[in-house]
Amino acid sequence: MAFRARGWRPPPPPLLLLLLWVTGQAAPVAGLGLGSDTELQIERRFVPDECPRTVLSGDFVRYHYVGTFPDGQKFDSSYDRDSTFNVFVGKGQLIAGMDQALVGMCVNERRFVKIPPKLAYGSEGVSGVIPPNSVLHFDVLLMDIWNSEDQVQIHTYFKPPSCPRTIQVSDFVRYHYNGTFLDGTLFDSSHNRMKTYDTYVGIGWLIPGMDKGLLGMCVGEKRTITIPPFLAYGEDGDGKDIPGQASLVFDVALLDLHNPKDGISIENKVVPENCERRSQSGDFLRYHYNGTLLDGTFFDSSYSRNRTFDTYIGQGYVIAGMDEGLLGVCIGEKRRIVVPPHLGYGEEGRGNIPGSAVLVFDIHVIDFHNPSDSISITSRYKPPDCSVLSKKGDYLKYHYNASLLDGTLLDSTWNLGKTYNIVLGFGQVVLGMDMGLREMCVGEKRTVIIPPHLGYGEAGVDGEVPGSAVLVFDIELLELVAGLPEGYMFIWNGEVSANLFEEIDKDGDGEVLLEEALASRSQLLYLMACPVPLVSSSQSTFTPRWHPAKGNSLLVLTLR
């Protein structure tokens, strides 16, 4: 509620019997309690516990009444018209007795008033309704009271400890409210609709009193806003639930606040001391998050799914505010990103995120990489003698600890008490590990960081390695057994000449071509690709240039 309705239609005017008065009648001072029929008598039948204000001369009141004669016969009732009687007090608009009887009343107070003829309709009466010289009894219930000098009244009954921002003109807000009249009668509630009221403030979308009453509120604040009718729906009401000349009381809880000019806001919670690299557009991030609305209402969490949210940034895969908010983060960083709705899910919202909602993401960056990344190698220790380096075909024994970039341990050969053993270059480990173990000497210790496209990719290893995870291996090489050189192994039929290389190198250019090696096939028992499977000597697709390595009856020609 509290919006300006169009096409208002005033209700039909009530029967204003009490607007009649006898011209020239004096208004004597009212008497309280028992007395003769010549005195005004007032009995306070119910007085509310709280009475912040009482009727003064000049106030405007709305009240219900039943008018009867002393014998109990009813001559008029506002209840029968289903409309309060609305009038200024002390300005001669009422019979003198009622003018006096209303003074000092509280909202929700009930009075029984006995008015003598001289303070009512006198010797003339009202033709056909009230006989001359009639004593009148009125059972009065006061519903509303205001004065033309009243302003909006604000009472804040809860304010959060932290209030970084308050409502200003042109802000957009989301709030819940209960709307009541001064007597406590509920006329509207956003809670009943289970939907906030969403509006701009200070630009005429609301009744003037609400526009003023919301200014200065914090998210999480609760206040009551009391609005006189001339700052609400005036003489005509809203044509539906709110009668004319009604004071309104709104009990408001502010849930959300932003301005269309807002950008995202970032609050760094934890920034690692060592931050060698910050995220850039095009990077792929893995991060955890809790998502809440500005009032703290939870809407989503990656933790509840026990899985990080994985995405490219700066390329439109996430809402615009997150695309911007994830730039420049470090691995291990925790930050809060506040996203206004025009950079979030807009006016429509999504799922359990309401329209026009400000979003708060508390994120923890687990890792990130770029698709163009290669492995990173950091040598932490090299022995004094580090001349023999690992190469393709070598048999390696090594220890390792495998972890994620955030330090989460995945696997450890030390914990298992045995080394990991492979032949290098033959697909027995992920490609990044194969690359990271090359040119390493026995006793060397190094850290190898492997991006997922050189590790376990998007799929990861179920239950062991998350998808798209960057891996960190701390490696110690313990043993290296040199493998056969890359090339072809010839088993020679007969003694090997000391000048065999020169004998095969027919053109004397210092290189053995395949054709030159095969020219000696009469002495060639068989030829084996080293370390690939046996091939026929008649195969014509061998790599053409070779270097020799000799031994007894074994000749290995290696690829240069």
Side-chain angles (χ1 to χ4, degrees), residues 67-373:
T68 62
F69 298 116
D71 63 359
Q73 179 184 351
K74 182 172 67 174
F75 62 83
D76 191 20
S77 172
S78 63
Y79 296 100
D80 293 343
R81 296 188 294 274
D82 196 27
S83 175
T84 57
F85 192 74
N86 308 336
V87 68
F88 280 100
V89 175
K91 293 189 176 183
Q93 297 180 6
L94 291 164
I95 57 175
M98 187 61 83
D99 242 350
Q100 297 175 38
L102 291 172
V103 173
M105 282 192 79
C106 308
V107 171
N108 282 328
E109 182 177 346
R110 184 181 177 190
R111 289 185 176 183
F112 182 78
V113 182
K114 184 177 180 180
I115 303 178
K118 65 181 179 180
L119 298 179
Y121 295 98
S123 58
E124 296 184 7
V126 178
S127 178
V129 179
I130 298 176
N133 299 312
S134 293
V135 175
L136 305 181
H137 293 180
F138 289 93
D139 191 346
V140 179
L141 178 63
L142 187 64
M143 310 295 289
D144 198 345
I145 173 176
W146 57 269
N147 192 282
S148 58
E149 296 181 0
D150 287 349
Q151 296 298 318
V152 174
Q153 299 176 40
I154 297 172
H155 170 62
T156 296
Y157 62 92
F158 176 79
K159 196 164 189 175
S162 175
C163 184
R165 178 177 183 175
T166 61
I167 297 176
Q168 306 294 322
V169 171
S170 80
D171 283 344
F172 190 92
V173 297
R174 296 173 51 246
Y175 62 91
H176 271 303
Y177 70 90
N178 285 324
T180 63
F181 302 123
L182 271 188
D183 69 335
T185 302
L186 182 74
F187 63 82
D188 191 22
S189 174
S190 63
H191 298 281
N192 292 345
R193 294 189 294 275
M194 299 182 67
K195 180 177 175 60
T196 57
Y197 192 76
D198 307 342
T199 183
Y200 286 97
V201 176
I203 63 172
W205 285 27
L206 294 163
I207 56 176
M210 199 62 166
D211 255 345
K212 183 175 181 180
L214 289 171
L215 292 175
M217 281 192 80
C218 308
V219 171
E221 182 177 342
K222 298 179 180 180
R223 61 170 57 169
T224 56
I225 303 171
T226 303
I227 305 174
F230 53 85
L231 295 176
Y233 293 96
E235 296 181 2
D236 297 329
D238 72 343
K240 296 182 294 182
D241 303 310
I242 299 175
Q245 303 290 28
S247 300
L248 307 180
V249 180
F250 291 93
D251 193 335
V252 178
L254 184 62
L255 274 65
D256 202 335
L257 158 67
H258 78 275
N259 192 280
K261 297 179 181 179
D262 287 348
I264 66 168
S265 68
I266 295 174
E267 179 185 354
N268 291 321
K269 298 290 189 178
V270 177
V271 180
E273 293 182 4
N274 183 19
C275 183
E276 298 179 354
R277 175 178 177 179
R278 293 184 179 273
S279 60
Q280 298 178 356
S281 180
D283 285 344
F284 190 91
L285 264 71
R286 295 175 55 246
Y287 63 95
H288 273 301
Y289 70 89
N290 284 323
T292 62
L293 304 181
L294 207 54
D295 68 336
T297 301
F298 171 87
F299 65 80
D300 192 22
S301 174
S302 62
Y303 296 100
S304 64
R305 295 187 292 273
N306 197 29
R307 176 178 172 81
T308 57
F309 189 79
D310 307 339
T311 184
Y312 287 97
I313 60 170
Q315 298 184 352
Y317 286 90
V318 291
I319 56 176
M322 281 299 274
D323 244 352
E324 182 181 351
L326 290 169
L327 294 173
V329 296
C330 306
I331 291 167
E333 181 173 343
K334 296 180 180 180
R335 64 168 50 173
R336 172 169 288 181
I337 305 171
V338 181
V339 182
H342 49 276
L343 298 175
Y345 291 101
E347 296 181 1
E348 300 300 322
R350 180 176 178 180
N352 59 346
I353 298 174
S356 300
V358 177
L359 309 179
V360 180
F361 292 94
D362 287 305
I363 69 160
H364 180 198
V365 180
I366 304 301
D367 75 29
F368 65 83
H369 72 279
N370 194 280
S372 64
D373 288 348

Side-chain angles (χ1 to χ4, degrees), residues 24-103:
Q25 275 192 330
V29 178
L32 298 177
L34 298 175
S36 68
D37 288 347
T38 63
E39 296 177 347
L40 176 67
Q41 300 176 42
I42 299 173
E43 179 186 349
R44 303 183 76 180
R45 291 190 172 180
F46 175 78
V47 180
D49 293 333
E50 295 184 8
C51 184
R53 178 177 185 174
T54 61
V55 177
L56 299 175
S57 181
D59 285 345
F60 190 93
V61 295
R62 296 172 51 248
Y63 63 92
H64 271 301
Y65 70 89
V66 175
T68 62
F69 298 116
D71 63 359
Q73 179 184 351
K74 182 172 67 174
F75 62 83
D76 191 20
S77 172
S78 63
Y79 296 100
D80 293 343
R81 296 188 294 274
D82 196 27
S83 175
T84 57
F85 192 74
N86 308 336
V87 68
F88 280 100
V89 175
K91 293 189 176 183
Q93 297 180 6
L94 291 164
I95 57 175
M98 187 61 83
D99 242 350
Q100 297 175 38
L102 291 172
V103 173

